[in-house]
Amino acid sequence: MARTHSFYDQEATYFVTMTVVYWIDVFTRKEYRNIILDSFKYCQEHKGLKIHAYVIMSNHIHMIITKDRNKNLSDILRDFKKHTAKTIVKSIEENREESRREWMLWMFQKAGQKNPKNRDFQFWQQHNQPIILDTSEKLSQRLGYIHDNPIKAGIVQDAKDYLYSSTSNYHGVKYNLLEVDVLR
């Protein structure tokens, strides 16, 4: 039976979910989604992260990932979450046009106070919920789940129309915000 909360097999393919504390809808703003995309690109280029599929929803992200040799998935995601948390919170603090700024910062601070590992705030929930995808059925099911997320949320009628997803990469659409290692 596969464990569901640790990266025990560093060579495996994983389905991962990262969720904002209290399910706050941070990623309704383009600038915060772009921080995620830029951080994905950095991790791909410099940390050995291989992203096979992803979707950025309003308050969470799903991915199918692996990594290059001599890298550790836990370390990559820890660094990703730490960097994006600091960068997004700073962007919220500096964004005078952000109508929910005071409320979001208060919520992140409240979450941080509940966690002894944090000093000032907490942006992401602690867990990544990694699920090992060790069969083609599991892989296919999770890939479909990721790409259908925006449809089920009522955002688009066709998954290819959602920009913040790898669906376009799998359908040969030329406009991709992030290159992924397509699963064959």
Side-chain angles (χ1 to χ4, degrees):
M1 184 163 114
R3 292 182 221 170
T4 59
H5 293 290
S6 65
F7 296 101
Y8 71 94
D9 180 353
Q10 289 295 313
E11 304 309 313
T13 302
Y14 285 91
F15 172 82
V16 177
T17 299
M18 294 180 286
T19 307
V20 178
V21 294
Y22 303 120
W23 292 83
I24 298 171
D25 290 322
V26 174
F27 304 123
T28 56
R29 307 271 195 253
K30 181 179 180 180
E31 67 187 273
Y32 309 138
R33 291 189 305 259
N34 286 342
I35 291 169
I36 296 298
L37 289 171
D38 290 343
S39 298
F40 278 163
K41 290 173 188 173
Y42 181 87
C43 288
Q44 286 173 314
E45 293 170 18
H46 301 284
K47 294 194 172 268
L49 180 65
K50 291 186 177 187
I51 301 172
H52 302 286
Y54 75 95
V55 64
I56 303 171
M57 298 301 288
S58 66
N59 52 26
H60 66 284
I61 298 167
H62 295 298
M63 300 187 307
I64 295 176
I65 58 173
T66 57
K67 52 114 186 130
D68 283 340
R69 288 191 173 123
N70 303 321
K71 304 291 181 180
N72 182 297
L73 280 171
S74 296
D75 293 346
I76 294 169
L77 287 185
R78 178 202 61 220
D79 294 349
F80 171 85
K81 288 172 80 172
K82 183 177 180 180
H83 171 76
T84 55
K86 286 182 179 182
T87 305
I88 292 169
V89 168
K90 183 178 181 199
S91 184
I92 292 169
E93 287 173 338
E94 294 173 353
N95 185 353
R96 300 294 174 216
E97 312 241 333
E98 175 58 72
S99 61
R100 306 166 302 151
R101 181 177 51 154
E102 299 299 324
W103 173 76
M104 285 194 293
L105 295 173
W106 179 77
M107 293 296 284
F108 299 145
Q109 186 176 37
K110 181 179 173 183
Q113 290 169 348
K114 291 181 179 181
N115 184 346
K117 294 181 179 183
N118 294 333
R119 289 185 214 152
D120 301 317
F121 64 87
Q122 182 171 334
F123 181 82
W124 296 108
Q125 291 181 12
Q126 288 296 124
H127 50 79
N128 299 316
Q129 300 175 334
I131 298 171
I132 196 165
L133 303 178
D134 53 1
T135 67
S136 59
E137 291 81 21
K138 287 180 185 178
L139 191 61
S140 178
Q141 187 274 334
R142 294 300 169 151
L143 184 62
Y145 179 82
I146 286 173
H147 291 163
D148 288 345
N149 234 237
I151 295 170
K152 290 183 180 176
I155 298 170
V156 294
Q157 290 184 340
D158 187 330
K160 292 183 298 222
D161 295 334
Y162 190 66
L163 290 178
Y164 294 90
S165 165
S166 57
T167 305
S168 62
N169 302 77
Y170 281 81
H171 287 60
V173 177
K174 298 210 186 257
Y175 183 72
N176 302 314
L177 296 177
L178 180 70
E179 291 302 317
V180 300
D181 293 303
V182 174
L183 297 163
R184 307 263 177 227

